[in-house]
Amino acid sequence: RNQEDGETPGVVEEKVVKVNGDIAIRRYNKGRFLGKGGFARCYEFTSLDTRKVAAAKVVPKASLAKARAKQKLMSEIKIHRSLHHPNIVGFEHFFEDNENVYILLELCTNQTMNELLRRRKRLTELEVQCYTMQIISGLKYLHTHHIIHRDLKLGNFFLSDKMEVKIGDLGLATRLEHDGERKRTICGTPNYIAPEVLDGKQGHSYEVDIWSLGVVMYTLLVGKPPFETSDVKTTYRRIRMNAYSFPDHVPLSEQSKSLITRILVTDPSKRPSLDEIIEHEFFHQGNVIPKLLPPSTLACPPSSS
Ligand SMILES: COc1cc(C(=O)NC2CCN(C)CC2)ccc1Nc1cc2c(cn1)c(C)nn2-c1cc(Cl)cc(-c2ccccc2C(N)=O)c1
């Protein structure tokens, strides 16, 4: 039992029924443990036929006993497999065996932005401009396809080997069937959850992703989330009260504080659209915004030259 989370390594077999009725077997080597979420775990899977490596989310069927859990997983798969965008994690395919459901996704070898911030403590404004532009591009694609992500956070932004940002984990995503539809289920991650989701009265829509984007920008620039406290109840109260501030010891431009203040407003109808965010002066401070950052910035700030 030499894997970090006590799972044994091994080969996973996928039975494929071909059009002529023959059964083919695809084999994968279950490799390195990448992380976990709930009952599911994520591993590097290498296809023994094609040698292609993927990030495989392995969901134990035991955790899918309740109809609700099965519906949620099928909804995540149905939504994710329909998406094709450079800033959304690619969906390869899914299959099941007796024990698990396996979802094979695009492997992003530079981990998540959680690990990035843990290593760097805080990012420069240039880096936040670059990463936020990519996240907004992926988010525009989701919203244009009537999908709300509902769980945007650093742990769900994956960095490819080329340092592109890929939005992942569509586990809480939902598709709006008609314009004006409001969702009511309370969901999200405490630090990033929008006030209207906590309030629950008017329902919520695309604006919850705009709120989370503001929380992400603040967290990258300051080094910790704006409403974070030692317990969730207090965090929720601070979110509802809009109680956050910019610490004096972090030198932030007026443009960055102005944009975050514009986004983190309690009334969802008062938040800027994605197009209005891109037009904000934070992205037009005179410097060229690079399309991609060099991998060296995983460890240290980009050279000011
Ligand atoms: C080589 O590539 C990677 C290395 C590492 C790495 O070295 N992590 C170490 C951090 C320190 N600890 C001590 C040991 C592990 C992390 C992510 C990688 N890449 C990667 C991960 C990916 C994806 C693409 N690429 C995609 C797509 N999903 N996940 C992913 C990641 C995590 Cl942490 C959890 C979940 C996850 C598991 C269950 C339920 C839901 C989820 C969910 N968030 O979707 C999914």
Side-chain angles (χ1 to χ4, degrees):
R1 301 180 74 74
N2 59 354
Q3 294 262 332
E4 178 188 54
D5 66 332
E7 292 281 307
T8 50
V11 173
V12 170
E13 293 194 344
E14 175 189 1
K15 288 187 178 38
V16 185
V17 182
K18 295 173 58 171
V19 283
N20 63 4
D22 286 355
I23 301 273
I25 302 273
R26 280 195 203 129
R27 287 181 182 77
Y28 302 90
N29 177 56
K30 178 174 135 184
R32 182 154 61 126
F33 170 73
L34 303 181
K36 56 178 179 277
F39 297 103
R41 284 172 166 68
C42 188
Y43 296 90
E44 259 182 27
F45 264 38
T46 306
S47 162
L48 296 182
D49 318 328
T50 65
R51 306 307 304 166
K52 229 169 120 38
V53 193
K57 265 161 78 168
V58 181
V59 186
K61 283 186 164 176
S63 71
L64 298 171
K66 292 200 184 72
R68 181 93 192 85
K70 210 189 299 271
Q71 269 165 2
K72 266 168 59 73
L73 184 64
M74 291 325 285
S75 162
E76 173 183 348
I77 290 172
K78 189 167 173 235
I79 288 176
H80 202 159
R81 66 193 305 199
S82 70
L83 306 176
H84 301 88
H85 187 276
N87 297 112
I88 305 280
V89 161
F91 183 101
E92 298 191 11
H93 79 285
F94 76 104
F95 63 94
E96 61 181 283
D97 63 13
N98 292 336
E99 289 79 35
N100 304 302
V101 174
Y102 302 86
I103 306 172
L104 267 60
L105 301 162
E106 177 181 6
L107 179 69
C108 300
T109 55
N110 283 315
Q111 304 185 17
T112 74
M113 290 191 76
N114 245 348
E115 281 87 42
L116 168 64
L117 195 66
R118 210 174 287 146
R119 266 196 304 274
R120 288 281 311 282
K121 307 302 175 220
R122 288 204 307 261
L123 299 189
T124 61
E125 299 212 4
L126 176 87
E127 292 172 285
V128 176
Q129 286 175 324
C130 176
Y131 285 128
T132 307
M133 286 300 281
Q134 295 180 64
I135 293 167
I136 287 173
S137 179
L139 202 47
K140 274 187 84 165
Y141 175 84
L142 289 177
H143 288 183
T144 308
H145 288 79
H146 313 298
I147 292 164
I148 319 174
H149 186 280
R150 300 202 295 186
D151 197 16
L152 295 177
K153 59 182 179 183
L154 296 184
N156 287 340
F157 296 139
F158 300 93
L159 292 172
S160 74
D161 51 340
K162 289 186 289 189
M163 292 292 284
E164 297 155 306
V165 182
K166 309 245 175 192
I167 300 172
D169 195 357
L170 282 291
L172 294 180
T174 184
R175 187 192 297 279
L176 295 190
E177 299 311 327
H178 52 81
D179 286 353
E181 179 185 357
R182 311 283 298 175
K183 289 294 177 180
R184 299 210 173 285
T185 35
I186 302 264
C187 61
T189 300
N191 273 321
Y192 295 81
I193 207 164
E196 64 270 22
V197 178
L198 294 176
D199 174 57
K201 293 196 184 68
Q202 295 87 356
H204 57 268
S205 186
Y206 300 107
E207 303 88 2
V208 302
D209 286 342
I210 304 291
W211 171 275
S212 301
L213 182 65
V215 173
V216 162
M217 291 182 71
Y218 178 105
T219 307
L220 291 174
L221 287 167
V222 170
K224 64 177 187 55
F227 304 102
E228 186 174 65
T229 66
S230 54
D231 85 297
V232 172
K233 283 260 165 296
T234 311
T235 299
Y236 286 166
R237 187 161 3 98
R238 290 185 54 186
I239 291 170
R240 274 197 295 269
M241 309 254 291
N242 203 253
Y244 76 96
S245 61
F246 298 104
D248 296 336
H249 69 280
V250 179
L252 295 174
S253 68
E254 286 314 308
Q255 294 89 337
S256 61
K257 288 189 278 194
S258 152
L259 178 51
I260 290 168
T261 308
R262 281 269 291 117
I263 295 175
L264 293 183
V265 295
T266 307
D267 180 348
S269 68
K270 298 255 185 325
R271 284 176 213 148
S273 68
L274 291 170
D275 286 332
E276 286 168 335
I277 292 173
I278 297 173
E279 289 312 309
H280 189 276
E281 53 182 350
F282 173 66
F283 294 102
H284 306 279
Q285 300 188 52
N287 62 293
V288 173
I289 304 176
K291 277 192 92 44
L292 296 172
L293 290 156
S296 61
T297 58
L298 291 168
C300 42
S303 52
S304 44
S305 61

